């Protein structure tokens, strides 16, 4: 098996949740444990595309790094660093913004969702955000990028930028064409309150998500209150497409236990939802409680987290500075 070069990032905007875990961080850990070369970034420059309180940002950068470690990312095997401590990211982002086309950016659905109705008032940073993301990935020659489904379009843009640069500068292999690694069966965890909406940090109701810092009692309570419907437990995978809330809860169970959906439907056949929710709570608590406890423990040791970030930044600076030098040379600087 050829080893992959992995890069991925998570925004330090607080409230990391089960969607971040299932869609992204769980896969980071698996890729690391397969001995791939891994770089995981706390993307603090992305976070400021919407206004952040500086004190909260500092706390959230540490908490995101602590969450990586609590989930199983080992700083002696993988590089963990924060984006703003490596200047090559901002510099490359500018250079690539001269390659990306306005038409490509204006198709980005996440910008449309995040900017809402009044697009004129959104920051320019929010609009060009996918270019910074492309810079993150291309700087390290990443071959594979593990992300949740919502980042697929941004990765396609990174691929387009890479291809256009290589073509425009007649430099066929200068940038790699990164492959997305997105789970086929369950890569979008939905809100516990509305199966049509993504589980998200910014949703006002805390009952809509399971935070990675929730304790067992909170998790059990949130799952108890999760929306279901009045029909019996499904016995056919095809039924799930018209029952988004049920599909989501089953997806969470299947993803955390690695149990195939058809086996799961068989296991709970004839049971009621309160029984299923009880079992789901056990599964989620078993996975999340140790993470939540470890985040709390690491929270008491900011010196250790700062040291991990500083060592990671040193390595990331070494890796990226040569690439940015070569890139500038291509432009004629
Ligand atoms: P962010 O911080 O919004 O989310 C971090 C990761 O969590 C995944 N995710 C989900 N997966 C499944 N279901 C959900 N409900 C859910 N919510 C979030 C996201 O897909 C993501 O993988 N732009 C990125 C961060 C980024 C990045 C990068 C990623 C910056 N540079 C380079 C990869 C490579 C973002 O805002 O993710």
């Amino acid at each position: 098996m050829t080893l992959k070069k992995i890069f991925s990032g998570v925004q330090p905007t607080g409230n990391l949740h089960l969607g971040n875990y299932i869609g992204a961080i769980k896969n980071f850990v698996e890729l690391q444990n397969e001995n791939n070369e891994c770089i995981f970034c706390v993307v603090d420059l992305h976070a400021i595309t919407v206004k952040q309180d500086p004190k909260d940002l500092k706390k959230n950068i540490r908490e995101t790094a602590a969450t990586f470690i609590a989930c199983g990312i080992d700083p002696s095997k993988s590089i963990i660093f924060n984006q703003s401590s490596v200047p090559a990211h901002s510099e490359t982002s500018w250079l690539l913004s001269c390659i990306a086309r306005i038409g490509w950016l204006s198709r980005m659905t996440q910008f449309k969702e995040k900017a809402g109705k009044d697009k004129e008032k959104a920051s320019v940073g929010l609009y060009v955000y996918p270019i910074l993301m492309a810079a993150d990935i291309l700087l390290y020659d990443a071959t594979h990028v593990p992300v949740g489904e919502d980042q697929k379009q941004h990765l396609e843009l990174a691929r387009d930028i890479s291809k256009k640069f290589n073509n425009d500068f007649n430099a066929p292999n200068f940038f790699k064409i990164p492959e997305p690694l997105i789970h086929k069966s369950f890569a979008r965890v939905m809100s516990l309150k509305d199966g049509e909406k993504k589980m998200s940090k910014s949703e006002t109701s805390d009952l809509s998500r399971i935070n990675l810092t929730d304790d067992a009692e909170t998790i059990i309570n949130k799952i108890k209150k999760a929306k279901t419907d009045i029909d019996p437990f499904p016995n056919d995978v095809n039924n799930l497409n018209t029952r988004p809330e049920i599909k989501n809860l089953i997806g969470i169970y299947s993803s955390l236990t690695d149990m195939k959906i058809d086996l799961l439907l068989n296991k709970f056949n004839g049971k009621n939802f309160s029984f299923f929710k009880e079992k789901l709570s056990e599964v989620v608590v078993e996975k999340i409680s140790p993470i939540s406890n470890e985040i709390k423990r690491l929270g008491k040791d900011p010196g250790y987290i700062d040291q991990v970030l500083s060592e990671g930044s040193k390595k990331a600076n070494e890796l990226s500075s040569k690439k940015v030098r070569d890139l500038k040379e291509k432009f004629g600087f």
Side-chain angles (χ1 to χ4, degrees), residues 8 11 19-20 46 129 133 136 147-148 150-151 187 189 198-199:
S8 198
Q11 290 196 59
N20 298 121
H46 276 104
Y129 162 124
M133 181 162 161
D136 298 339
V147 281
D150 60 328
Q151 296 299 320
V189 181
K198 192 178 76 165
M199 184 178 282

Side-chain angles (χ1 to χ4, degrees), residues 234 236-244 246-247 250 261 265:
D236 180 355
V237 182
N238 295 322
N239 284 346
L240 294 178
N241 288 335
T242 52
R243 302 176 68 186
I246 310 304
K247 185 179 180 182
I250 287 176
I261 304 271
L265 295 186

Side-chain angles (χ1 to χ4, degrees), residues 7-12 16 20-21 24-30 32-33 38-44 60-75 78-83 146 201 212 291-292 294-295 298 304-305 308-309:
F7 184 97
S8 198
V10 175
Q11 290 196 59
L16 289 193
N20 298 121
Y21 180 71
I25 306 174
K26 178 174 174 275
N27 307 331
F28 299 177
V29 177
E30 285 166 13
Q32 165 194 272
N33 293 344
C38 294
I39 307 178
F40 300 117
C41 184
V42 179
V43 290
D44 48 9
N60 288 332
I61 291 169
R62 285 197 183 114
E63 190 171 296
T64 305
T67 303
F68 284 173
I69 298 168
C71 290
I73 296 171
D74 176 352
S78 301
I79 297 178
I80 300 176
F81 76 106
N82 62 311
Q83 197 184 27
K201 308 166 182 179
L212 298 181
I291 294 175
S292 155
E294 187 62 1
I295 296 172
L298 290 167
Y304 169 68
I305 300 297
V308 167
L309 287 172

Side-chain angles (χ1 to χ4, degrees), residues 18-19 22-23 186-191 197-200 248 252:
L18 195 62
I22 290 178
F186 193 56
R188 184 181 281 263
V189 181
M190 309 310 275
S191 156
K197 267 188 171 169
K198 192 178 76 165
M199 184 178 282
S200 144
N248 189 42
I252 294 172

Side-chain angles (χ1 to χ4, degrees), residues 2-128:
T2 44
L3 292 182
K4 304 178 178 85
K5 189 151 190 192
I6 306 295
F7 184 97
S8 198
V10 175
Q11 290 196 59
T13 38
N15 289 340
L16 289 193
H17 51 70
L18 195 62
N20 298 121
Y21 180 71
I22 290 178
I25 306 174
K26 178 174 174 275
N27 307 331
F28 299 177
V29 177
E30 285 166 13
L31 288 159
Q32 165 194 272
N33 293 344
E34 288 163 8
N35 288 329
N36 297 293
E37 195 179 331
C38 294
I39 307 178
F40 300 117
C41 184
V42 179
V43 290
D44 48 9
L45 295 172
H46 276 104
I48 60 163
T49 54
V50 293
K51 194 165 187 297
Q52 302 292 327
D53 178 315
K55 274 203 222 82
D56 289 345
L57 183 61
K58 191 163 245 154
K59 179 179 130 294
N60 288 332
I61 291 169
R62 285 197 183 114
E63 190 171 296
T64 305
T67 303
F68 284 173
I69 298 168
C71 290
I73 296 171
D74 176 352
S76 70
K77 290 189 187 151
S78 301
I79 297 178
I80 300 176
F81 76 106
N82 62 311
Q83 197 184 27
S84 65
S85 66
V86 178
H89 290 253
S90 317
E91 200 172 3
T92 304
S93 181
W94 172 256
L95 298 171
L96 297 185
S97 73
C98 299
I99 303 295
R101 305 290 94 180
I102 290 176
W104 300 355
L105 283 171
S106 58
R107 281 197 287 276
M108 296 294 112
T109 51
Q110 198 171 81
F111 173 76
K112 291 179 195 159
E113 281 163 24
K114 286 198 173 171
K117 286 203 184 81
D118 201 352
K119 294 192 181 36
E120 300 290 311
K121 290 222 170 99
S123 73
V124 175
L126 192 65
Y127 188 63
V128 296

Side-chain angles (χ1 to χ4, degrees), residues 88-313:
H89 290 253
S90 317
E91 200 172 3
T92 304
S93 181
W94 172 256
L95 298 171
L96 297 185
S97 73
C98 299
I99 303 295
R101 305 290 94 180
I102 290 176
W104 300 355
L105 283 171
S106 58
R107 281 197 287 276
M108 296 294 112
T109 51
Q110 198 171 81
F111 173 76
K112 291 179 195 159
E113 281 163 24
K114 286 198 173 171
K117 286 203 184 81
D118 201 352
K119 294 192 181 36
E120 300 290 311
K121 290 222 170 99
S123 73
V124 175
L126 192 65
Y127 188 63
V128 296
Y129 162 124
I131 303 178
L132 177 60
M133 181 162 161
D136 298 339
I137 298 165
L138 300 181
L139 256 181
Y140 297 93
D141 294 324
T143 58
H144 293 81
V145 183
V147 281
E149 230 265 324
D150 60 328
Q151 296 299 320
K152 190 171 175 212
Q153 201 185 25
H154 292 162
L155 266 181
E156 278 158 13
L157 187 95
R159 289 166 62 86
D160 288 342
I161 292 177
S162 171
K163 287 181 200 159
K164 181 163 167 53
F165 177 89
N166 290 351
N167 190 48
D168 286 359
F169 287 84
N170 197 14
N173 293 312
F174 185 81
F175 282 134
K176 293 265 178 312
I177 317 289
E179 291 289 334
L181 289 177
I182 300 174
H183 254 282
K184 283 194 189 71
S185 52
F186 193 56
R188 184 181 281 263
V189 181
M190 309 310 275
S191 156
L192 299 181
K193 288 286 162 198
D194 179 350
E196 308 276 4
K197 267 188 171 169
K198 192 178 76 165
M199 184 178 282
S200 144
K201 308 166 182 179
S202 51
E203 181 63 47
T204 37
S205 168
D206 196 52
L207 289 175
S208 68
R209 65 181 161 260
I210 290 169
N211 300 308
L212 298 181
T213 48
D214 283 344
D215 59 22
E217 200 187 320
T218 311
I219 293 172
I220 293 166
N221 186 42
K222 284 179 177 177
I223 292 178
K224 207 180 270 168
K225 292 197 169 136
K227 188 173 168 197
T228 49
D229 57 32
I230 49 166
D231 291 336
F233 198 86
N235 54 13
D236 180 355
V237 182
N238 295 322
N239 284 346
L240 294 178
N241 288 335
T242 52
R243 302 176 68 186
E245 284 83 16
I246 310 304
K247 185 179 180 182
N248 189 42
L249 296 179
I250 287 176
I252 294 172
Y253 191 109
S254 152
S255 163
L256 293 181
T257 54
D258 287 327
M259 186 186 279
K260 292 236 160 56
I261 304 271
D262 48 349
L263 286 181
L264 196 159
L265 295 186
N266 245 331
K267 181 177 159 85
F268 290 99
N269 193 14
K271 301 279 190 301
N272 58 28
F273 276 111
S274 60
F275 178 78
F276 173 69
K277 281 181 163 183
E278 229 173 82
K279 295 293 156 200
L280 175 64
S281 295
E282 284 170 19
V283 165
V284 178
V285 167
E286 195 186 311
K287 279 281 172 212
I288 301 306
S289 281
I291 294 175
S292 155
N293 290 337
E294 187 62 1
I295 296 172
K296 281 178 200 128
R297 190 187 70 78
L298 290 167
K300 293 189 192 121
D301 195 355
Y304 169 68
I305 300 297
D306 289 350
Q307 186 196 331
V308 167
L309 287 172
S310 144
E311 282 167 13
S313 298

